[in-house]
Amino acid sequence: MNKRYRVTLTEEEQVRLEEFLRKGKASARKLTHARILLKADASAGGPAWPDEEISRALDVNFSTIARLRRRFIELGFEAALHGKPPARRYHRKLDGDQEAHLIALACGKPPDGFAHWSLRLLASRFVELGHAEAVSHETIRQTLKKTN
C-alpha cells in the first residue's frame, strides 16, 4: 500500500526513541507514540510495519497512527513525540500592579451593607476605582484563585 505520510527516522531519532522507551519515565501516550514511530519507520533499517499490524500490536486506533504520521511529516520529530504546540495564546487580562490592587481590595473590608466580597461586587468596585476599564467576575475569580 502506498502511504501518503511515510515516516523515515534518522539513526539519531531511532536511538533517542529507543532510549526514551528504555527509561519508561514518560506518560503512556508518549511511550505509545514512540513505539508507533519505531514500528512505522520506513528507513533502511526500520521495520516499516503497515498500520493494521501496528494497530493490532499496540492496541491503538488507525486514526491515531494516521495523525501521528501526519504530525511527524508536517511538524517534525519533537511535535510527533510530545504533541503539537497549542494553537491559541492566552493573554493576561490584568498585569502585576492591577493584581496587587485587586488582592488589596479583596483583603479589605467589604462595603457597608455587605457581609463579604462577591466576585461581581469586586469587579464593579475594581472598575469604579479606575484600575481597569472593564473586568469580568470570571477574571477576578481566576486571578484570586491563582494567588491563593
Side-chain angles (χ1 to χ4, degrees):
M1 177 192 269
N2 207 0
K3 291 283 178 200
R4 181 171 180 189
Y5 298 104
R6 193 174 205 92
V7 174
T8 53
L9 298 171
T10 64
E11 286 184 35
E12 178 187 331
E13 291 170 341
Q14 290 173 351
V15 169
R16 280 187 60 197
L17 288 174
E18 288 167 359
E19 283 180 17
F20 187 71
L21 288 172
R22 207 171 312 120
K23 288 180 185 175
K25 296 278 186 177
S27 67
R29 180 180 171 274
K30 287 181 184 180
L31 294 172
T32 301
H33 284 191
R35 288 183 185 96
I36 291 171
L37 287 173
L38 283 172
K39 299 297 182 196
D41 182 20
S43 63
W49 284 16
D51 289 356
E52 295 82 21
E53 283 186 42
I54 297 173
S55 175
R56 265 184 272 135
L58 302 178
D59 198 27
V60 294
N61 200 329
F62 292 115
S63 59
T64 303
I65 300 167
R67 275 194 311 271
L68 189 62
R69 285 179 181 272
R70 182 176 182 174
R71 193 177 316 139
F72 177 80
I73 297 301
E74 292 179 353
L75 301 175
F77 176 75
E78 290 298 324
L81 190 58
H82 300 293
K84 60 185 176 184
R88 184 172 173 195
R89 293 189 61 127
Y90 294 92
H91 300 286
R92 294 181 58 172
K93 299 211 168 77
L94 301 177
D95 62 13
D97 188 45
Q98 290 172 320
E99 286 182 7
H101 285 291
L102 175 62
I103 293 167
L105 181 64
C107 290
K109 186 175 177 244
D112 292 335
F114 293 93
H116 57 83
W117 286 104
S118 70
L119 294 176
R120 293 177 198 275
L121 185 60
L122 275 171
S124 64
R125 185 57 59 96
F126 192 72
V127 172
E128 283 175 19
L129 293 173
H131 297 301
E133 289 183 26
V135 66
S136 71
H137 67 279
E138 181 63 13
T139 301
I140 302 293
R141 183 192 70 79
Q142 288 177 355
T143 303
L144 293 176
K145 180 180 179 188
K146 179 179 76 171
T147 57
N148 281 343

